[in-house]
């Protein structure tokens, strides 16, 4: 037998305030009863008071749903009320408690009949208020914008178009782009500038380069040999660079044994000891000679201590002669220049030849600069600290050629080739791919209190 539920002990608490009443009184049964009554009201009254005919319906029609044709079903769907209107309808059968509601009248309804007549007469005469004028203007603008606005999917207007409709071509010929933009912005239409990044591509190289005909699975003899020659040239260049680096680094220094190295060091250290003694003996003699020389100098300075002679002033004759000489040199220089001009007239052919040679030289240099610039454009730029390294050329030896696609082995990684292409075309910066992350080396040491002294233990 099931044990009866233990009675809960009632606590004596104050129920003076609403807060304490709600806290200590259980009203769940009352809420459930009220919710049930509200539901019945929404569904059209209580189910207990309704008859069986109101609750249940006997289906006397023996129609099969599948027998309805598709056309009839489509027509029924067209006639049927859309589901979106269900939210507008009342979802309950409970009548509105306020049957008569007050409606707020409009401004025109609240206006007196005399005032309404005056307003009508004013509008007929075309006398408008400031607000009405602005409203009419805004309405016209909105209508014009709506008419010019393209429909969905239509692209008639080019927003980056450089041609200007508001200003004539005769005005824009002598004006700068900044001035045109400034004037057009005040006329109500802004002229947009095309970003500099859209003017040109990051690199003139094509996205997918045409492969060499020698890389085919069944190439011709000439194209295959040409490809192999290119590969050999690149390899020889790399070998030459390696040999050069080895020559200027490793081979420059001789290998010396440790014993010979010590002997050389001792020789270098003892190099100045033999001359040091002779230098000390000579230094004593030099000091005595210097003292004697100093005594002689002191005696000579005492004898030749006289006043300095003043510079003699130039006479008028000297100044006149100097002026005449200056004038003569100037006249001689002018005469020389005149003679040179006269002689240059007879050298016109030679001068013309020199100018032509100089122009030819400048034109050659200009052509070289243009070619260099074109080559630099196709070359990858330095976008990061790592230098761009091109992918190794794809080639096969004569023995590896199969002649059909079925037996041909793939020799290039497509993903790597695309990645290198992006780097070459300056789309992404070149970087070294690291498959494993570098971990910091752990420093290991033994704590002083963990050390074991074997000498003390025994």
């Amino acid at each position: 037998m099931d044990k009866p539920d233990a009675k809960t002990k009632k606590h004596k608490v104050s129920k003076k305030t609403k807060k304490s009443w709600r806290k200590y009184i259980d009203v769940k049964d009352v809420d459930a009863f009220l919710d049930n009554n509200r539901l019945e009201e929404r569904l059209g009254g209580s189910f207990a008071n309704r008859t069986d005919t109101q609750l249940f319906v006997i289906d006397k029609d023996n129609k099969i749903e599948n027998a309805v044709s598709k056309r009839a079903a489509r027509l029924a769907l067209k006639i049927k009320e859309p589901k979106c209107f269900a939210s507008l309808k009342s979802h309950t059968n409970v009548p509105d408690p306020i049957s008569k509601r007050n409606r707020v009248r409009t401004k025109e309804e609240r206006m007196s009949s005399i005032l309404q007549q005056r307003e009508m007469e004013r509008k007929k005469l075309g006398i408008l208020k400031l607000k009405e004028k602005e409203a009419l203007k805004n309405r016209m603008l909105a209508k014009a914008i709506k008419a010019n606005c393209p429909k969905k999917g239509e692209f008639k207007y080019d927003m980056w178009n450089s041609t200007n409709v508001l200003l004539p071509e005769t005005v824009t010929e002598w004006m700068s782009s900044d001035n045109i933009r400034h004037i057009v912005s005040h006329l109500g239409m802004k002229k947009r500038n095309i970003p500099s990044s859209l003017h040109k591509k990051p690199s003139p190289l094509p996205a997918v380069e045409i492969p060499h005909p020698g890389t085919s699975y069944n190439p011709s003899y000439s194209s295959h040999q040409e490809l192999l020659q290119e590969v050999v040239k690149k390899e020889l260049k790399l070998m030459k660079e390696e040999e050069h680096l080895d020559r200027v680094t490793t081979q420059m220094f001789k290998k010396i044994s440790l014993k010979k190295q010590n002997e050389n060091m001792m020789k270098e250290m003892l190099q100045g000891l033999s001359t040091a003694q002779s230098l000390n003996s000579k230094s004593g003699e030099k000091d005595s000679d210097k003292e004697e020389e100093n005594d002689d100098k002191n005696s000579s300075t005492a004898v030749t201590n006289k006043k300095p002679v003043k510079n003699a002033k130039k006479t008028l004759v000297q100044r006149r002669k100097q002026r005449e000489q200056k004038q003569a040199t100037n006249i001689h220089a002018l005469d020389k220049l005149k003679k040179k001009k006269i002689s240059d007239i007879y050298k016109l052919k030679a001068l013309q030849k020199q100018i032509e040679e100089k122009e030819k030289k400048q034109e050659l240099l200009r052509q070289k600069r243009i070619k260099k610039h074109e080559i630099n454009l196709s070359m990858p730029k330095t976008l990061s600290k790592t230098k761009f390294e091109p992918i190794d050329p794809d080639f096969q030896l004569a023995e590896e050629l199969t002649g059909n696609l079925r037996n041909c082995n793939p020799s290039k990684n497509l993903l790597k080739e695309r990645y290198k292409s992006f780097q070459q075309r300056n789309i992404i910066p070149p970087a070294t791919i690291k498959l494993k992350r570098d971990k910091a080396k752990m420093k290991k040491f033994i704590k002083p209190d963990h050390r074991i002294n074997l000498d003390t233990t025994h």
Side-chain angles (χ1 to χ4, degrees):
M1 287 178 72
D2 296 331
K3 289 181 180 180
D5 295 332
K7 288 182 179 180
T8 54
K9 193 178 180 181
K10 289 184 179 180
H11 295 282
K12 289 181 179 180
V13 287
S14 175
K15 297 169 188 171
K16 200 182 284 182
T17 58
K18 279 185 181 180
K19 191 178 180 182
S20 59
W21 182 270
R22 285 175 187 144
K23 190 174 181 181
Y24 298 111
I25 295 297
D26 189 19
V27 288
K28 286 179 182 177
D29 54 347
V30 179
D31 288 337
F33 174 74
L34 291 170
D35 286 337
N36 193 19
N37 282 353
R38 288 190 202 104
L39 180 66
E40 284 179 350
E41 279 181 7
R42 285 200 298 275
L43 297 171
S46 69
F47 292 103
N49 298 330
R50 293 190 200 180
T51 58
D52 291 343
T53 53
Q54 288 175 337
L55 292 170
F56 304 104
V57 178
I58 298 163
D59 190 12
K60 293 177 181 180
D61 298 330
N62 296 323
K63 290 180 180 179
I64 302 163
E65 289 181 3
N66 296 335
V68 180
S69 64
K70 283 185 179 180
R71 192 176 179 184
R74 282 173 189 165
L75 284 166
L77 280 170
K78 280 183 181 179
I79 297 158
K80 194 180 177 183
E81 192 180 27
K83 287 183 181 179
C84 59
F85 294 146
S87 59
L88 301 172
K89 287 184 175 181
S90 61
H91 58 280
T92 176
N93 291 326
V94 180
D96 190 1
I98 304 164
S99 58
K100 192 179 179 182
R101 290 183 180 276
N102 295 327
R103 190 179 66 80
V104 179
R105 292 185 298 168
T106 59
K107 195 179 178 182
E108 286 78 16
E109 286 173 353
R110 281 187 272 119
M111 205 182 286
S112 65
S113 59
I114 299 160
L115 199 62
Q116 277 182 2
Q117 196 174 355
R118 279 182 189 173
E119 288 289 321
M120 289 285 284
E121 285 173 2
R122 183 176 61 78
K123 283 178 182 177
K124 278 180 183 178
L125 292 167
I127 302 160
L128 299 170
K129 291 177 183 178
L130 183 65
K131 276 188 178 179
E132 288 172 349
K133 283 178 183 177
E134 284 180 356
L136 188 68
K137 189 184 175 183
N138 290 336
R139 214 175 291 122
M140 292 293 286
L141 283 167
K143 198 176 179 181
I145 289 162
K146 197 175 181 181
N148 292 327
C149 187
K151 291 177 184 178
K152 193 177 179 182
E154 283 184 3
F155 301 99
K156 292 179 180 178
Y157 174 67
D158 185 9
M159 65 185 298
W160 302 112
N161 192 9
S162 58
T163 55
N164 188 21
V165 183
L166 296 171
L167 294 171
E169 287 183 8
T170 52
V171 178
T172 54
E173 275 178 6
W174 54 271
M175 287 172 75
S176 65
S177 59
D178 292 330
N179 290 340
I180 293 161
R181 204 183 311 111
H182 175 73
I183 292 160
V184 169
S185 64
H186 285 283
L187 289 170
M189 189 186 282
K190 286 187 178 179
K191 187 175 178 289
R192 294 170 180 85
N193 277 345
I194 301 168
S196 59
S197 59
L198 297 175
H199 281 293
K200 56 183 180 180
K201 291 165 80 176
S203 177
L205 293 170
V208 181
E209 290 182 1
I210 298 161
H212 196 277
T215 56
S216 173
Y217 64 92
N218 190 17
S220 63
Y221 179 77
S222 58
S223 58
H224 186 252
Q225 289 297 316
E226 192 181 334
L227 177 68
L228 290 175
Q229 285 296 323
E230 285 178 12
V231 172
V232 166
K233 278 179 186 177
K234 284 180 182 177
E235 285 294 322
L236 286 168
K237 193 179 178 182
L238 289 168
M239 285 166 70
K240 196 176 180 181
E241 283 177 5
E242 284 176 8
E243 284 173 5
H244 170 70
L245 287 168
D246 186 46
R247 189 174 64 254
V248 297
T249 53
T250 312
Q251 292 180 13
M252 276 180 75
F253 306 102
K254 292 178 181 178
K255 289 182 180 179
I256 304 164
S257 62
L258 191 66
K259 190 179 179 182
K260 200 169 184 181
Q261 199 174 352
N262 290 330
E263 285 175 6
N264 291 339
M265 193 185 74
M266 288 299 291
K267 279 180 184 178
E268 286 173 7
M269 297 298 283
L270 294 165
Q271 197 73 34
L273 286 173
S274 58
T275 53
Q277 291 174 357
S278 60
L279 285 168
N280 286 329
S281 59
K282 285 177 183 179
S283 61
E285 292 174 6
K286 281 181 181 179
D287 290 337
S288 59
D289 293 337
K290 279 180 183 178
E291 284 174 4
E292 288 175 5
E293 283 175 8
N294 287 330
D295 293 334
D296 294 336
K297 279 180 183 178
N298 290 329
S299 60
S300 64
T301 49
V303 176
T304 59
N305 193 4
K306 289 180 181 180
K307 287 181 181 180
V309 181
K310 287 183 180 180
N311 290 330
K313 201 174 182 181
K314 284 182 182 179
T315 60
L316 290 168
V317 177
Q318 284 175 339
R319 286 185 184 282
R320 180 172 55 77
K321 282 182 178 180
Q322 192 179 359
R323 193 167 53 251
E324 285 173 359
Q325 196 176 358
K326 207 172 188 179
Q327 284 175 358
T329 50
N330 287 337
I331 290 159
H332 181 69
L334 285 166
D335 290 339
K336 199 175 181 181
L337 190 67
K338 283 177 184 177
K339 282 178 182 178
K340 196 184 177 185
K341 283 178 182 178
I342 293 158
S343 64
D344 284 345
I345 292 163
Y346 300 106
K347 290 180 183 178
L348 281 172
K349 287 182 180 179
L351 289 168
Q352 185 69 27
K353 199 176 180 181
Q354 283 178 8
I355 292 160
E356 284 174 2
E357 283 176 1
K358 196 176 182 181
E359 283 177 354
K360 278 180 183 178
K361 197 176 181 182
Q362 284 175 351
E363 184 63 28
L364 282 167
L365 289 168
R366 194 174 69 81
Q367 291 293 334
K368 277 183 181 179
R369 280 197 298 272
I370 290 162
K371 282 179 182 177
K372 194 178 180 182
H373 180 66
E374 286 174 358
I375 292 159
N376 288 336
L377 280 172
S378 61
M379 293 294 284
K381 294 174 184 176
T382 50
L383 300 174
S384 66
K385 61 181 182 180
T386 53
K387 195 180 178 183
F388 171 74
E389 290 180 3
I391 198 165
D392 294 328
D394 185 22
F395 71 96
Q396 287 182 336
L397 296 170
E399 302 85 38
E400 295 171 356
L401 290 170
T402 53
N404 53 9
L405 276 169
R406 193 176 292 163
N407 299 328
C408 187
N409 295 319
S411 57
K412 191 186 278 186
N413 188 355
L414 189 63
L415 191 67
K416 192 178 179 182
E417 191 264 329
R418 286 290 87 208
Y419 183 66
K420 286 284 182 183
S421 176
F422 282 138
Q423 288 181 357
Q424 196 173 7
R425 288 183 285 136
N426 305 316
I427 294 167
I428 54 169
T432 51
I433 300 162
K434 277 195 173 184
L435 298 172
K436 289 182 180 179
R437 287 179 70 183
D438 293 336
K439 287 186 178 179
K441 289 181 180 179
M442 297 290 287
K443 254 188 179 179
K444 292 183 180 181
F445 62 93
I446 302 163
K447 287 184 178 180
D449 55 342
H450 284 243
R451 281 179 190 155
I452 298 164
N453 253 341
L454 296 170
D455 298 334
T456 54
T457 53
H458 289 300

Short mmCIF file of all heavy atoms in Angstrom, two decimals, residues 419-452:
data_model
loop_
_atom_site.label_atom_id
_atom_site.label_comp_id
_atom_site.label_asym_id
_atom_site.label_seq_id
_atom_site.Cartn_x
_atom_site.Cartn_y
_atom_site.Cartn_z
N TYR A 419 49.49 29.56 -56.30
CA TYR A 419 49.99 30.39 -55.20
C TYR A 419 51.18 31.23 -55.67
O TYR A 419 51.28 32.43 -55.37
CB TYR A 419 50.39 29.47 -54.04
CG TYR A 419 50.86 30.21 -52.81
CD1 TYR A 419 50.00 31.00 -52.07
CD2 TYR A 419 52.18 30.09 -52.37
CE1 TYR A 419 50.43 31.67 -50.94
CE2 TYR A 419 52.62 30.77 -51.25
CZ TYR A 419 51.74 31.54 -50.53
OH TYR A 419 52.17 32.21 -49.42
N LYS A 420 52.07 30.63 -56.43
CA LYS A 420 53.23 31.35 -56.98
C LYS A 420 52.80 32.39 -58.02
O LYS A 420 53.40 33.47 -58.11
CB LYS A 420 54.22 30.36 -57.62
CG LYS A 420 55.01 29.53 -56.62
CD LYS A 420 56.11 30.35 -55.98
CE LYS A 420 56.94 29.51 -55.01
NZ LYS A 420 57.95 30.34 -54.34
N SER A 421 51.74 32.08 -58.77
CA SER A 421 51.22 33.02 -59.76
C SER A 421 50.68 34.29 -59.07
O SER A 421 50.89 35.40 -59.55
CB SER A 421 50.11 32.36 -60.57
OG SER A 421 49.54 33.27 -61.47
N PHE A 422 49.98 34.11 -57.94
CA PHE A 422 49.48 35.26 -57.18
C PHE A 422 50.63 36.12 -56.67
O PHE A 422 50.55 37.35 -56.68
CB PHE A 422 48.64 34.78 -55.99
CG PHE A 422 47.26 34.34 -56.35
CD1 PHE A 422 46.71 33.20 -55.79
CD2 PHE A 422 46.51 35.04 -57.27
CE1 PHE A 422 45.43 32.78 -56.12
CE2 PHE A 422 45.23 34.63 -57.62
CZ PHE A 422 44.69 33.50 -57.05
N GLN A 423 51.71 35.48 -56.22
CA GLN A 423 52.88 36.22 -55.74
C GLN A 423 53.55 36.98 -56.88
O GLN A 423 53.97 38.12 -56.72
CB GLN A 423 53.88 35.25 -55.12
CG GLN A 423 53.44 34.70 -53.77
CD GLN A 423 54.46 33.77 -53.17
OE1 GLN A 423 55.49 33.47 -53.78
NE2 GLN A 423 54.19 33.28 -51.97
N GLN A 424 53.66 36.34 -58.03
CA GLN A 424 54.31 36.96 -59.20
C GLN A 424 53.52 38.16 -59.72
O GLN A 424 54.11 39.13 -60.21
CB GLN A 424 54.47 35.91 -60.31
CG GLN A 424 55.47 36.33 -61.39
CD GLN A 424 55.73 35.22 -62.37
OE1 GLN A 424 55.08 34.18 -62.34
NE2 GLN A 424 56.67 35.41 -63.26
N ARG A 425 52.19 38.12 -59.58
CA ARG A 425 51.33 39.20 -60.06
C ARG A 425 51.04 40.25 -58.99
O ARG A 425 50.12 41.03 -59.12
CB ARG A 425 50.03 38.62 -60.60
CG ARG A 425 50.21 37.90 -61.92
CD ARG A 425 48.90 37.41 -62.48
NE ARG A 425 48.39 36.24 -61.80
CZ ARG A 425 47.11 36.11 -61.44
NH1 ARG A 425 46.24 37.04 -61.68
NH2 ARG A 425 46.72 35.02 -60.81
N ASN A 426 51.79 40.23 -57.89
CA ASN A 426 51.71 41.24 -56.81
C ASN A 426 50.35 41.29 -56.13
O ASN A 426 49.92 42.33 -55.65
CB ASN A 426 52.07 42.64 -57.34
CG ASN A 426 53.40 42.67 -58.02
OD1 ASN A 426 54.37 42.10 -57.54
ND2 ASN A 426 53.47 43.31 -59.17
N ILE A 427 49.65 40.16 -56.10
CA ILE A 427 48.34 40.10 -55.43
C ILE A 427 48.54 39.77 -53.96
O ILE A 427 47.88 40.36 -53.10
CB ILE A 427 47.42 39.08 -56.12
CG1 ILE A 427 47.08 39.57 -57.54
CG2 ILE A 427 46.14 38.85 -55.33
CD1 ILE A 427 46.45 38.54 -58.43
N ILE A 428 49.45 38.84 -53.67
CA ILE A 428 49.79 38.52 -52.28
C ILE A 428 51.30 38.61 -52.10
O ILE A 428 52.05 38.34 -53.03
CB ILE A 428 49.26 37.11 -51.86
CG1 ILE A 428 49.75 36.02 -52.84
CG2 ILE A 428 47.76 37.09 -51.74
CD1 ILE A 428 49.50 34.63 -52.36
N PRO A 429 51.78 39.00 -50.90
CA PRO A 429 53.23 39.10 -50.70
C PRO A 429 53.88 37.73 -50.59
O PRO A 429 53.28 36.79 -50.05
CB PRO A 429 53.36 39.86 -49.38
CG PRO A 429 52.08 39.60 -48.67
CD PRO A 429 51.03 39.42 -49.72
N PRO A 430 55.11 37.57 -51.12
CA PRO A 430 55.79 36.27 -50.99
C PRO A 430 56.15 35.97 -49.54
O PRO A 430 56.55 36.87 -48.80
CB PRO A 430 57.05 36.44 -51.86
CG PRO A 430 57.21 37.88 -52.10
CD PRO A 430 55.91 38.53 -51.89
N ALA A 431 55.97 34.72 -49.17
CA ALA A 431 56.25 34.30 -47.78
C ALA A 431 56.71 32.85 -47.78
O ALA A 431 56.43 32.08 -48.70
CB ALA A 431 55.00 34.45 -46.93
N THR A 432 57.44 32.50 -46.74
CA THR A 432 57.92 31.12 -46.57
C THR A 432 56.85 30.31 -45.86
O THR A 432 56.32 30.73 -44.82
CB THR A 432 59.22 31.09 -45.75
OG1 THR A 432 59.01 31.84 -44.55
CG2 THR A 432 60.38 31.68 -46.54
N ILE A 433 56.51 29.17 -46.43
CA ILE A 433 55.47 28.31 -45.84
C ILE A 433 56.11 27.43 -44.77
O ILE A 433 57.10 26.74 -45.02
CB ILE A 433 54.81 27.43 -46.93
CG1 ILE A 433 54.17 28.32 -47.99
CG2 ILE A 433 53.77 26.50 -46.32
CD1 ILE A 433 53.88 27.60 -49.29
N LYS A 434 55.55 27.51 -43.56
CA LYS A 434 56.04 26.72 -42.44
C LYS A 434 54.98 25.71 -42.06
O LYS A 434 53.86 26.08 -41.69
CB LYS A 434 56.37 27.61 -41.25
CG LYS A 434 57.75 28.24 -41.33
CD LYS A 434 58.15 28.81 -39.99
CE LYS A 434 59.59 29.30 -40.02
NZ LYS A 434 60.03 29.76 -38.70
N LEU A 435 55.33 24.43 -42.18
CA LEU A 435 54.39 23.38 -41.81
C LEU A 435 54.39 23.12 -40.31
O LEU A 435 53.39 22.73 -39.73
CB LEU A 435 54.71 22.09 -42.57
CG LEU A 435 54.62 22.18 -44.11
CD1 LEU A 435 55.15 20.92 -44.73
CD2 LEU A 435 53.19 22.42 -44.55
N LYS A 436 55.55 23.35 -39.67
CA LYS A 436 55.66 23.15 -38.22
C LYS A 436 56.01 24.47 -37.55
O LYS A 436 56.81 25.24 -38.06
CB LYS A 436 56.75 22.12 -37.91
CG LYS A 436 56.37 20.71 -38.29
CD LYS A 436 57.46 19.73 -37.91
CE LYS A 436 57.08 18.30 -38.29
NZ LYS A 436 58.15 17.35 -37.95
N ARG A 437 55.41 24.70 -36.42
CA ARG A 437 55.67 25.93 -35.67
C ARG A 437 56.95 25.77 -34.84
O ARG A 437 57.24 24.68 -34.31
CB ARG A 437 54.51 26.23 -34.73
CG ARG A 437 53.28 26.72 -35.46
CD ARG A 437 52.14 26.98 -34.51
NE ARG A 437 52.42 28.15 -33.67
CZ ARG A 437 51.62 28.57 -32.70
NH1 ARG A 437 50.50 27.91 -32.44
NH2 ARG A 437 51.93 29.63 -32.00
N ASP A 438 57.69 26.87 -34.77
CA ASP A 438 58.93 26.87 -33.97
C ASP A 438 58.58 26.98 -32.49
O ASP A 438 57.89 27.92 -32.06
CB ASP A 438 59.82 28.05 -34.36
CG ASP A 438 60.36 27.89 -35.78
OD1 ASP A 438 60.42 26.75 -36.23
OD2 ASP A 438 60.70 28.91 -36.40
N LYS A 439 59.05 26.00 -31.74
CA LYS A 439 58.82 26.03 -30.29
C LYS A 439 60.07 26.51 -29.58
O LYS A 439 61.19 26.18 -29.97
CB LYS A 439 58.45 24.63 -29.80
CG LYS A 439 57.05 24.22 -30.20
CD LYS A 439 56.68 22.90 -29.56
CE LYS A 439 55.26 22.49 -29.92
NZ LYS A 439 54.89 21.19 -29.31
N ALA A 440 59.87 27.31 -28.56
CA ALA A 440 61.00 27.82 -27.78
C ALA A 440 61.67 26.69 -27.02
O ALA A 440 61.01 25.80 -26.48
CB ALA A 440 60.51 28.88 -26.81
N LYS A 441 63.01 26.74 -26.98
CA LYS A 441 63.76 25.68 -26.27
C LYS A 441 63.62 25.87 -24.76
O LYS A 441 63.80 26.98 -24.25
CB LYS A 441 65.23 25.74 -26.68
CG LYS A 441 65.46 25.27 -28.10
CD LYS A 441 66.94 25.32 -28.45
CE LYS A 441 67.17 24.84 -29.89
NZ LYS A 441 68.60 24.92 -30.25
N MET A 442 63.31 24.78 -24.12
CA MET A 442 63.13 24.82 -22.65
C MET A 442 64.48 24.79 -21.96
O MET A 442 65.36 23.99 -22.31
CB MET A 442 62.28 23.64 -22.20
CG MET A 442 60.87 23.64 -22.76
SD MET A 442 59.84 24.94 -22.10
CE MET A 442 59.54 24.30 -20.47
N LYS A 443 64.64 25.66 -20.98
CA LYS A 443 65.87 25.67 -20.18
C LYS A 443 65.70 24.70 -19.02
O LYS A 443 64.76 24.84 -18.21
CB LYS A 443 66.12 27.09 -19.65
CG LYS A 443 67.23 27.81 -20.35
CD LYS A 443 67.54 29.09 -19.65
CE LYS A 443 68.68 29.80 -20.34
NZ LYS A 443 68.99 31.08 -19.68
N LYS A 444 66.58 23.75 -18.94
CA LYS A 444 66.50 22.75 -17.87
C LYS A 444 67.65 22.96 -16.87
O LYS A 444 68.79 23.15 -17.28
CB LYS A 444 66.59 21.33 -18.46
CG LYS A 444 65.36 20.97 -19.29
CD LYS A 444 65.45 19.55 -19.79
CE LYS A 444 64.23 19.18 -20.63
NZ LYS A 444 64.28 17.79 -21.11
N PHE A 445 67.30 22.96 -15.62
CA PHE A 445 68.32 23.05 -14.57
C PHE A 445 67.81 22.36 -13.31
O PHE A 445 66.60 22.15 -13.13
CB PHE A 445 68.67 24.52 -14.27
CG PHE A 445 67.52 25.32 -13.75
CD1 PHE A 445 67.29 25.46 -12.39
CD2 PHE A 445 66.63 25.93 -14.65
CE1 PHE A 445 66.22 26.19 -11.94
CE2 PHE A 445 65.57 26.66 -14.18
CZ PHE A 445 65.36 26.80 -12.82
N ILE A 446 68.76 21.98 -12.44
CA ILE A 446 68.42 21.28 -11.19
C ILE A 446 68.41 22.29 -10.05
O ILE A 446 69.34 23.10 -9.91
CB ILE A 446 69.42 20.15 -10.90
CG1 ILE A 446 69.42 19.16 -12.09
CG2 ILE A 446 69.09 19.43 -9.61
CD1 ILE A 446 70.63 18.26 -12.12
N LYS A 447 67.36 22.25 -9.28
CA LYS A 447 67.26 23.16 -8.14
C LYS A 447 68.33 22.80 -7.10
O LYS A 447 68.74 21.64 -6.98
CB LYS A 447 65.88 23.05 -7.50
CG LYS A 447 64.78 23.68 -8.34
CD LYS A 447 63.46 23.61 -7.62
CE LYS A 447 62.37 24.29 -8.42
NZ LYS A 447 61.09 24.23 -7.71
N PRO A 448 68.78 23.79 -6.34
CA PRO A 448 69.85 23.51 -5.34
C PRO A 448 69.43 22.46 -4.30
O PRO A 448 70.25 21.64 -3.88
CB PRO A 448 70.09 24.87 -4.69
CG PRO A 448 69.59 25.86 -5.68
CD PRO A 448 68.49 25.21 -6.41
N ASP A 449 68.17 22.50 -3.87
CA ASP A 449 67.72 21.54 -2.84
C ASP A 449 67.45 20.15 -3.42
O ASP A 449 67.21 19.21 -2.66
CB ASP A 449 66.50 22.07 -2.11
CG ASP A 449 65.38 22.41 -3.09
OD1 ASP A 449 65.70 22.55 -4.28
OD2 ASP A 449 64.22 22.53 -2.66
N HIS A 450 67.45 20.02 -4.75
CA HIS A 450 67.22 18.71 -5.39
C HIS A 450 68.54 18.03 -5.79
O HIS A 450 68.51 16.91 -6.27
CB HIS A 450 66.35 18.89 -6.64
CG HIS A 450 64.91 19.13 -6.32
ND1 HIS A 450 63.90 18.28 -6.69
CD2 HIS A 450 64.32 20.13 -5.61
CE1 HIS A 450 62.74 18.76 -6.25
NE2 HIS A 450 62.98 19.89 -5.60
N ARG A 451 69.62 18.76 -5.65
CA ARG A 451 70.91 18.17 -6.04
C ARG A 451 71.34 17.10 -5.05
O ARG A 451 71.13 17.22 -3.84
CB ARG A 451 71.98 19.27 -6.10
CG ARG A 451 71.90 20.08 -7.38
CD ARG A 451 72.92 21.13 -7.41
NE ARG A 451 72.68 22.06 -8.54
CZ ARG A 451 73.10 23.30 -8.57
NH1 ARG A 451 73.77 23.79 -7.56
NH2 ARG A 451 72.84 24.06 -9.61
N ILE A 452 72.01 16.06 -5.60
CA ILE A 452 72.49 14.96 -4.75
C ILE A 452 74.02 14.93 -4.84
O ILE A 452 74.58 14.79 -5.92
CB ILE A 452 71.90 13.61 -5.23
CG1 ILE A 452 70.36 13.65 -5.10
CG2 ILE A 452 72.48 12.47 -4.42
CD1 ILE A 452 69.66 12.56 -5.89
#
